[in-house]
């Protein structure tokens, strides 16, 4: 067979997919050739910091999103499972229209071009957007069947594994004794984050990953699009993700109002445990995000995340470390953490 300009094998059916000079992978092109979206007009869609790539497919009046996860194909099965589960529970997750696990590609429902982040930039009142986002979490956490059967747990060991990236990318020159101390101190506090109820964690739950769907009713007006890294774990995790956003400032008064709204929906929560869990998971998440930003800059040539957002995340991390429950970890960061 002949090769196209990217080296993909071409044949009469695939040739129709290749008409547009767009830089999609061979795996995605071959996948599309076997779907009803062959021959669709293909346009790039703004992606995120991951190795996944997104494209909008247009066929007449119909559109869909091509998710090219061929570089990280292992994320596709959990995405499809969680999407179906959320839809069954009554939430707005994209319908999966076609999927190829071997190639790591899927065609999913198109939720349009209005994430909450853009909605806010265009003048939407913050309280309205954050109230809707908080109500989605309340509805999810009130469901006894929110966790998929046998779903993976975001336990202290996994939480620690995620933040060990900090030692590799932010503070790589530290001696092994100091690295061991980092692990030991975190393992003293991470179990305390689990003294709250557990639910399904979407993991990257913030306004850039929520789509405004005004034609739908109630909580379905919030479209959920980024949950392939979902776990089960403390309900406080997604609240931290939403209200201590790495990419935008959330006013402290609004944060407290949303936390009060969340707590009012549940019967007699233990406030001390809840606040301690919030602080621990805020510190854990911000530590991980700082490491990811450093890795993006050093390994993948994407310094914009570190330049634009790392100062905010360091501030949020210092704020979280002020909680007394985190004193052992705060002392480590004071000596070695590079938070200035």
């Amino acid at each position: 067979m002949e090769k196209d300009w990217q080296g993909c094998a071409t044949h009469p059916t695939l040739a129709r997919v290749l008409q547009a000079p767009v830089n999609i992978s061979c795996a995605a092109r071959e996948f599309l050739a076997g779907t009803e979206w062959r021959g669709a007009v293909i346009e790039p869609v703004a992606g995120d910091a991951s190795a996944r790539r997104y494209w909008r497919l247009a066929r007449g009046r119909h559109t869909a999103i091509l998710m090219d996860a061929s570089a990280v194909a292992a994320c596709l099965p959990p995405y499809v499972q969680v999407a179906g589960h959320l839809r069954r529970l009554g939430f707005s997750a994209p319908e999966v229209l076609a999927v190829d696990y071997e190639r790591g590609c899927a065609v999913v429902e198109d939720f349009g071009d209005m994430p909450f982040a853009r909605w806010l930039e265009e003048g939407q009142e913050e309280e309205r957007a954050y109230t809707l986002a908080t109500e989605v979490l309340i509805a999810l956490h009130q469901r006894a069947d929110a966790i998929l059967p046998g779903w993976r747990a975001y336990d202290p060991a996994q939480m620690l594994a995620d933040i060990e990236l900090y030692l590799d990318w932010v503070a790589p020159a530290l001696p092994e004794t100091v690295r061991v101390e980092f692990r030991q101190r975190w393992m003293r506090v991470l179990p305390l984050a689990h003294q709250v109820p557990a639910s399904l964690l979407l993991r990257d739950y913030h306004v850039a990953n929520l789509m405004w769907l005004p034609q739908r009713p109630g909580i379905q007006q919030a479209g959920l699009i980024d949950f392939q890294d979902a776990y089960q774990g403390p309900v406080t995790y997604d609240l931290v993700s939403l209200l201590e956003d790495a990419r935008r400032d959330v006013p402290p008064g609004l944060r407290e109002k949303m936390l009060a709204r969340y707590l009012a929906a549940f019967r007699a929560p233990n406030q001390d445990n809840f606040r301690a869990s919030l602080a621990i998971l805020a510190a854990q998440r911000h530590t991980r995000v700082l490491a990811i930003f450093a890795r993006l800059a050093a390994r993948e040539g994407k310094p914009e995340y570190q330049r634009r957002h790392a100062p905010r995340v360091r501030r949020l991390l210092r704020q979280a470390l002020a909680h007394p429950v985190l004193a052992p970890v705060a002392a480590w960061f004071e000596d070695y953490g590079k938070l200035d």
Side-chain angles (χ1 to χ4, degrees):
M1 288 186 178
E2 295 181 356
K3 302 280 185 175
D4 81 331
W5 62 277
Q6 271 198 315
C8 302
T10 61
H11 51 74
T13 301
L14 185 56
R16 292 199 296 274
V17 181
L18 302 177
Q19 289 174 358
V22 291
N23 187 22
I24 67 174
S25 70
C26 293
R29 291 166 185 258
E30 292 165 358
F31 163 63
L32 284 180
T35 74
E36 63 180 350
W37 294 92
R38 69 179 70 88
V41 176
I42 306 173
E43 297 179 349
V45 176
D48 52 21
S50 75
R52 297 179 299 276
R53 298 293 179 265
Y54 300 91
W55 310 86
R56 175 164 283 110
L57 308 174
R59 193 188 58 194
R61 295 182 296 105
H62 302 287
T63 65
I65 297 296
L66 166 65
M67 178 194 297
D68 181 356
S70 54
V72 283
C75 77
L76 199 52
Y79 176 90
V80 173
Q81 285 180 269
V82 176
H85 179 64
L86 289 170
R87 287 172 61 82
R88 288 189 293 273
L89 294 180
F91 297 93
S92 289
E95 180 183 0
V96 179
L97 305 173
V99 63
D100 185 326
Y101 294 117
E102 184 175 346
R103 290 189 173 97
C105 297
V107 175
V108 304
E109 183 180 2
D110 184 2
F111 278 170
D113 291 310
M114 189 59 72
F116 278 29
R118 182 177 301 166
W119 194 35
L120 289 166
E121 289 170 2
E122 295 186 359
Q124 176 56 49
E125 182 186 356
E126 279 188 314
E127 186 168 338
R128 182 184 180 191
Y130 279 91
T131 295
L132 176 55
T134 302
E135 289 294 332
V136 171
L137 290 182
I138 290 171
L140 180 62
H141 297 167
Q142 286 177 335
R143 296 288 302 245
D145 55 351
I147 301 172
L148 292 88
W151 200 247
R152 59 196 178 188
Y154 203 41
D155 57 20
Q158 184 60 53
M159 290 179 175
L160 179 62
D162 280 352
I163 58 176
E164 283 184 302
L165 288 173
Y166 189 92
L167 299 174
D168 297 329
W169 294 99
V170 180
L174 292 175
E176 183 58 28
T177 54
V178 175
R179 296 165 70 93
V180 169
E181 190 177 347
F182 175 92
R183 300 183 186 102
Q184 290 175 339
R185 291 186 181 216
W186 272 109
M187 286 304 289
R188 286 167 59 184
V189 301
L190 286 172
L192 303 178
H194 294 258
Q195 297 184 108
V196 295
S199 189
L200 182 68
L201 313 184
L202 303 183
R203 288 290 303 287
D204 280 315
Y205 188 83
H206 49 75
V207 294
N209 285 335
L210 295 169
M211 304 299 293
W212 172 230
L213 306 175
Q215 72 280 11
R216 301 191 181 190
I219 59 170
Q220 292 184 352
Q221 291 182 329
L224 311 176
I225 61 170
D226 192 345
F227 42 74
Q228 60 284 331
D229 295 323
Y231 278 81
Q232 61 167 301
V235 292
T236 40
Y237 189 92
D238 281 348
L239 281 165
V240 164
S241 180
L242 175 66
L243 300 175
E244 298 197 17
D245 196 330
R247 302 189 189 195
R248 74 183 309 271
D249 294 321
V250 179
L254 179 62
R255 176 185 183 273
E256 288 304 311
K257 192 167 187 176
M258 293 303 105
L259 290 175
R261 187 181 191 92
Y262 178 90
L263 286 167
F266 297 90
R267 185 182 305 170
N270 184 302
Q271 290 275 353
D272 290 341
N273 289 347
F274 183 82
R275 292 286 177 172
S277 182
L278 276 176
I280 294 166
L281 295 183
Q284 189 268 351
R285 181 173 173 83
H286 300 323
T287 300
R288 174 174 173 264
V289 169
L290 286 173
I292 290 172
F293 286 171
R295 184 175 66 182
L296 285 169
R299 190 177 74 181
E300 301 177 36
K302 297 179 179 179
E304 62 272 17
Y305 294 96
Q306 191 170 51
R307 183 178 63 251
R308 292 178 59 193
H309 303 304
R312 176 184 300 107
V313 179
R314 284 194 292 268
R315 172 174 54 79
L316 290 170
L317 176 53
R318 289 193 297 268
Q319 177 181 297
L321 291 172
H323 192 288
V325 76
L326 280 155
V329 175
W332 188 94
F333 273 98
E334 185 175 345
D335 291 336
Y336 309 110
K338 302 183 178 180
L339 294 183
D340 296 331

